[in-house]
Amino acid sequence: MTNQTDLGPAARAYRAEVREWLCAHAPAELNGVDVDDATPEQACRLARWAEGIHQAGYMCVTWPAEYGGQGLSRLESSILDEEFARAGLPRMTRGVGEWLVAPAILQWGTPEQKAYFLPRIADGTDRYCQGFSEPDAGSDLAGLKTVGQVDGGELVISGQKVWTSGAERANILFCLCRTDPLAPRHRGISYVLVPMRTAEGASNGIELRPIRQLDGDADFTATFLDEARAPLGNVIGGLNNGWRVTMTTLGSERAGSSPTHHLPFTRQFWAAVAIARDRGLIQDARVRQELAWAFTHVEIMRYQGLAAFGDAVAGREPGARASISKIFWSEYSQRFLDRVANVRGPQAMLLPDQPADSYEPDDWTLALLRSLSSTIWGGTAEIQRNIVGERLLGLPRGS
């Protein structure tokens, strides 16, 4: 359960409305389910839960009503986070379509693009995956080599993307390509929504090759585009203006934490305390020091979430505060999980009993392996430090 801040009668009324709806409609079988680790059966239930949330008006709530939202503020969105967390239920969203693509369309799209694309994100018709990173252009997005050429009323795109998450479930790739090879690095780039398949259901010149990860999953793909086609009406912000649109998407990707962001780390902390107690290490001075360190960091995350909540109430954008938060929790997570492995001892090096041809690490090992990428995705820790140095500290830009 989260600590609640009294934000006045309107906020109390909205909180009561959401809480009442959750009490009436909450599926008990989804209590505590992790969306990222759902079984196929749970995934079907989550899809039905998402549709129920949409029908109730709790999906994409900050969007204008004419595009499928409710026209609410970040304050109400934060209240939703709190109430779903309080109920122990996943607050389903429309993924990167809602978090990353929609903000770019809202700011840079034409009226026609907003009217077409946004409702299709809100109702789940379109599911997006991201085509930014390339083998030779990760954090250096301006170094991309994927090209787009105008052919009548279409853009024809060829190149390679990498680390495309959720591509096998998506039907649209939001993609960066260079449409003016003679322009300076940050110009001549276009931001385009590329259908994964043609109207007839055939591949739209897009090949996906799964990338096996440390944890045994293959959630990412290498994505090859061979003359993939998209209507020029799918270019957001106009040809050669994609860098500015991209900054909107990246700003959303690095947005500030909600007041519930610390909760998974809190649960992990108390689970680690239980491990130390079970192994007879709870009185060990070094272990207690490590646990005190972890508890302090989780509390700092809680206060960071409250600060972000204050920004939401005041209508302020998170700005570089989001970068500080991202650095803090991602680096903490790696160090904490490494220290938990030390407390677990030899057990941390063993796989649970399973068939010889399986590779299914336990939850703690999975968390440790997955944490290794947290300082990379969404902008590396080095990039985040550059943002803090330049935008908060006023340091000169790097060369």
Coordinates of all heavy atoms in Angstrom, one line a residue, residues 48 71 73 82 88 90 98 108 118 143 152 156 162 167 170 209 225 258 266 292 323 364-365 387-388:
R48 N -7.8 -9.2 -21.6 CA -9.2 -8.9 -21.3 C -9.3 -7.8 -20.2 O -10.2 -7.0 -20.2 CB -9.9 -10.2 -20.8 CG -10.1 -11.2 -21.9 CD -11.1 -12.3 -21.4 NE -10.6 -13.1 -20.3 CZ -9.9 -14.2 -20.4 NH1 -9.5 -14.7 -21.6 NH2 -9.5 -14.9 -19.4
G71 N -8.8 13.7 -21.1 CA -8.5 15.0 -20.9 C -8.1 15.4 -19.5 O -8.2 16.5 -19.0
S73 N -5.3 15.3 -16.1 CA -4.0 15.8 -15.8 C -3.1 14.7 -15.4 O -3.5 13.6 -15.1 CB -4.0 16.9 -14.8 OG -4.3 16.4 -13.5
E82 N -1.4 4.9 -8.1 CA -1.4 4.6 -6.7 C -2.5 3.6 -6.4 O -2.3 2.6 -5.7 CB -1.7 5.9 -5.9 CG -0.5 6.8 -5.8 CD -0.7 7.9 -4.8 OE1 -1.9 8.3 -4.6 OE2 0.3 8.3 -4.2
G88 N -2.9 -4.1 -5.9 CA -2.1 -5.2 -6.3 C -2.3 -5.7 -7.7 O -2.0 -6.8 -8.0
P90 N -2.1 -5.0 -12.1 CA -1.3 -4.3 -13.1 C -2.2 -3.2 -13.7 O -3.3 -3.5 -14.1 CB -1.0 -5.4 -14.1 CG -2.0 -6.5 -13.9 CD -2.3 -6.4 -12.4
E98 N 1.5 4.2 -26.4 CA 0.9 5.2 -25.5 C 2.1 6.0 -24.9 O 1.9 7.3 -24.8 CB 0.2 4.5 -24.4 CG -0.3 5.4 -23.3 CD -1.1 4.7 -22.2 OE1 -1.4 3.5 -22.3 OE2 -1.3 5.4 -21.1
W108 N 3.5 16.9 -32.6 CA 4.0 17.2 -34.0 C 3.0 16.8 -35.1 O 3.2 17.2 -36.2 CB 5.3 16.6 -34.2 CG 6.4 17.0 -33.3 CD1 6.8 16.4 -32.1 CD2 7.2 18.2 -33.4 NE1 7.8 17.2 -31.5 CE2 8.0 18.3 -32.3 CE3 7.2 19.3 -34.3 CZ2 8.9 19.3 -32.1 CZ3 8.1 20.3 -34.1 CH2 9.0 20.3 -33.0
L118 N -4.2 8.2 -33.0 CA -4.4 8.1 -31.6 C -5.5 7.2 -31.1 O -5.3 6.4 -30.2 CB -4.5 9.6 -31.0 CG -3.3 10.4 -31.2 CD1 -3.6 11.9 -30.7 CD2 -2.1 9.9 -30.4
G143 N 23.8 9.0 -35.9 CA 24.7 8.3 -36.7 C 23.9 7.2 -37.5 O 24.6 6.3 -38.1
G152 N 6.7 8.6 -55.2 CA 5.4 9.0 -55.3 C 4.8 9.4 -54.0 O 5.3 10.3 -53.3
V156 N 10.1 4.8 -49.1 CA 10.6 3.4 -49.2 C 11.9 3.4 -48.3 O 12.8 4.1 -48.5 CB 11.0 3.1 -50.7 CG1 11.5 1.7 -50.8 CG2 9.7 3.3 -51.6
V162 N 18.1 -2.7 -34.4 CA 18.5 -3.7 -33.5 C 17.9 -3.4 -32.1 O 17.5 -2.3 -31.9 CB 20.0 -3.9 -33.4 CG1 20.7 -2.7 -32.6 CG2 20.4 -5.2 -32.8
A167 N 8.6 -6.8 -31.1 CA 8.4 -6.6 -32.6 C 7.4 -7.7 -33.1 O 6.6 -7.5 -34.0 CB 9.7 -6.7 -33.4
A170 N 3.9 -6.6 -32.6 CA 3.5 -5.3 -33.1 C 3.0 -5.4 -34.5 O 3.3 -6.3 -35.3 CB 4.7 -4.4 -33.0
R209 N 14.7 -11.1 -36.7 CA 15.5 -12.2 -36.3 C 15.7 -12.1 -34.7 O 16.3 -11.2 -34.2 CB 16.9 -12.2 -36.9 CG 16.8 -12.3 -38.4 CD 18.2 -12.3 -39.1 NE 18.1 -12.2 -40.5 CZ 19.2 -12.0 -41.3 NH1 20.4 -11.9 -40.7 NH2 19.1 -11.9 -42.6
L225 N 15.0 -4.0 -42.8 CA 14.0 -3.4 -43.7 C 14.5 -3.4 -45.1 O 15.6 -2.8 -45.3 CB 13.7 -2.0 -43.2 CG 13.1 -1.8 -41.8 CD1 14.1 -1.5 -40.8 CD2 12.0 -0.7 -41.8
S258 N 6.6 7.7 -11.2 CA 5.4 7.9 -10.5 C 5.6 7.7 -9.0 O 6.7 7.1 -8.6 CB 4.3 6.9 -11.0 OG 4.6 5.7 -10.5
T266 N 10.9 -1.9 -3.0 CA 10.6 -2.2 -1.6 C 10.3 -3.7 -1.4 O 10.8 -4.3 -0.4 CB 9.4 -1.4 -1.2 OG1 9.6 0.0 -1.4 CG2 9.0 -1.6 0.2
A292 N 21.0 -1.9 5.2 CA 20.8 -0.5 5.6 C 21.0 0.4 4.4 O 20.3 1.3 4.1 CB 21.7 -0.1 6.7
S323 N 16.3 12.2 -15.6 CA 17.6 11.5 -15.8 C 18.3 11.2 -14.5 O 18.9 10.1 -14.3 CB 18.6 12.5 -16.6 OG 18.1 12.7 -17.9
W364 N 15.4 -14.4 -8.7 CA 16.5 -13.6 -8.3 C 17.6 -13.5 -9.4 O 18.1 -12.4 -9.7 CB 17.2 -14.0 -7.0 CG 16.4 -13.7 -5.8 CD1 15.6 -14.5 -5.0 CD2 16.2 -12.4 -5.2 NE1 15.0 -13.9 -4.0 CE2 15.4 -12.5 -4.1 CE3 16.7 -11.1 -5.5 CZ2 15.0 -11.5 -3.3 CZ3 16.3 -10.0 -4.7 CH2 15.4 -10.2 -3.6
T365 N 17.9 -14.6 -10.0 CA 18.9 -14.7 -11.1 C 18.4 -13.9 -12.3 O 19.1 -13.1 -12.9 CB 19.3 -16.1 -11.4 OG1 19.8 -16.8 -10.3 CG2 20.3 -16.1 -12.5
I387 N 23.1 14.8 -19.8 CA 21.9 15.6 -19.7 C 21.9 16.4 -18.4 O 21.6 17.6 -18.3 CB 20.6 14.7 -19.8 CG1 20.5 14.1 -21.2 CG2 19.4 15.5 -19.4 CD1 19.4 13.1 -21.3
V388 N 22.2 15.7 -17.3 CA 22.2 16.4 -16.0 C 23.3 17.5 -16.0 O 23.1 18.6 -15.5 CB 22.5 15.4 -14.8 CG1 22.7 16.1 -13.5 CG2 21.3 14.4 -14.7

